[in-house]
Amino acid sequence: MGFNNVSQGLKPEEVEAMKVACERAIAYRQGVLDRPGKLDIDITEALHRFGGALPEEGRDPDTVIKELADQADAGLLHLTSPRWFAYVAGSSHPAGVAADTLVSAWGQNAAMAETTPATAAIEQTAGKWMLDLLGLPKDSGVGFVTGGTVANSVGISAARNALLHREGWDVEAKGLFGAPEISVVIGDEAHSSVYAALRYNGLGAERVHKVATDDDGRILADDFERVIAPLSAPILVIVQAGHINSCGFDPFDKIIPVAHAKNAWVHVDGAFGLWMNSVPELSPRLAGVELADSWSTDLHKWLNAPYDAGLIISKDPVPLARSMSERASYLPEVGAWDPSDYAMELSRRARGVPSYAILKTLGKSGLREMVALHCRLAARVAATIEAEPGLTVLNEVHGNQVAIRCGSGRDSDEMTRETLRIVHQEGDVYPSHGFWRGCEIIRISVISYATQEDDVDRAAKAIIRAWKKANKGRHD
Ligand SMILES: *Cc1c(COP(=O)(O)O)cnc(C)c1O
């Protein structure tokens, strides 16, 4: 069909294409539990299906969409299943998916409040709701970005701006050449994305001052004091709310006051764990997190927003805007706030809208119940695993993450890998692989809005069954 005639509104085949997309999307989601928990095709086969030269002639969009859905199906892992426990992946809440469909259809370039007031207001409101839920300062600047890595990077840009501004150095104009050196203090179990963020910001991934951590990857407050003591301003401190394997939290209430006494900027990588601060019974585990200067979090993890969505929050909005706004010298009091002032993109999708819809669907209580349930379910699966001879839970279960080791001694790594291989082959549940504290682990992350008690019980049973099989195989 291609580009032939221009008509008002939608052509019949375009209407059909949009309908087919919705129907297939619904069918996909309704059938997710019937899907095998493994892939039928690999990247080579997928490239075989989708690769090749672009045809000279176009086709009807409805045919294209039908074919796309048919051909992709075998190469889609069931990340939206309640029995998907891998990679700390939220599972695209249907309310968010529905809102995301509207966002695409509206086609707003959500850069400026003046031209796209509806999406700007929705995002601004969602941002305020989240500050309230997360217990963070209510006048903070909030930017909607694509995920945790970018949120960390934007947060570090804001920190860099503020720290050098205090030294009388305009980093946005002059760059880092000749600038006062920023010392970076970081826990030795920080997430890899933080190092990427340091690289993006010209601060170097290898010139950090590392602080020792405990068995759950949490910064040791004493060692933090030792590391920061000889340093002088400007200092950037990066802490973590939710370790990828243990969901451990750094001792914010002990270290942030020490950092602030040195005039340091404290950035929190809270990709998923920060959401536990929304639950009053759980928030003591994050005591003091609200004292920091900036926080990054993912929306596509614990909020279950569709990919890709994350949040950067800066207590002082000014350095965030100074580092991100494309207006040469940003003055926050001039003109209205624009969504693009707090994110890297100028032209941008209104990616905060799905989160607004999810929050409104869950309500405050629904969100809290979901996060609290996930933590209870993680504790439940950990208790079942621990009761099985030969299986060990390596972490204290601080939240929703469980790190499991199979067997002990020399062949433990091999047994852990083999157990996971069997679990994946059976395909009923999908935990992920990890490597932590010098050994192979099976990691369970309870984070899907749809996960219930039965799902985690199946996960525990699948791992125990596989472990017995692996163990038997070893003795045969
Ligand atoms: C997932 C994660 C990130 C990175 O987030 P992306 O959305 O994948 O970019 C950063 N830090 C922690 C602790 C994470 O769990």
Side-chain angles (χ1 to χ4, degrees), residues 87-89 146-152 189-194 240-245 269-273 296-301 307-310 401 443:
Y87 315 131
V88 205
T146 50
T149 305
V150 175
N152 280 330
E189 286 266 321
H191 191 266
S192 54
S193 68
V194 172
Q240 179 164 262
H243 181 282
I244 194 89
N245 294 319
D269 174 10
F272 64 98
S296 63
T297 195
D298 265 314
L299 303 173
H300 55 225
K301 285 183 180 168
Y307 289 97
D308 42 18
Q401 304 289 105
R443 195 179 67 200

Side-chain angles (χ1 to χ4, degrees), residues 8-52:
Q8 295 281 312
L10 297 171
K11 298 177 199 165
E13 60 273 23
E14 290 166 343
V15 172
E16 181 63 13
M18 288 167 85
K19 279 190 186 160
V20 166
C22 283
E23 282 163 13
R24 291 300 184 93
I26 293 166
Y28 175 79
R29 293 300 291 265
Q30 277 183 326
V32 84
L33 274 177
D34 303 326
R35 298 177 68 83
K38 53 190 170 196
L39 291 164
D40 290 338
I41 60 168
D42 61 7
I43 178 66
T44 311
E45 170 60 20
L47 276 170
H48 184 68
R49 289 186 187 187
F50 293 105

Side-chain angles (χ1 to χ4, degrees), residues 186-190 211-220 223 250:
I186 189 169
D188 65 9
E189 286 266 321
V211 184
T213 50
D214 68 11
D215 279 353
D216 280 334
R218 297 173 296 181
I219 281 178
L220 293 166
D223 200 53
D250 287 333

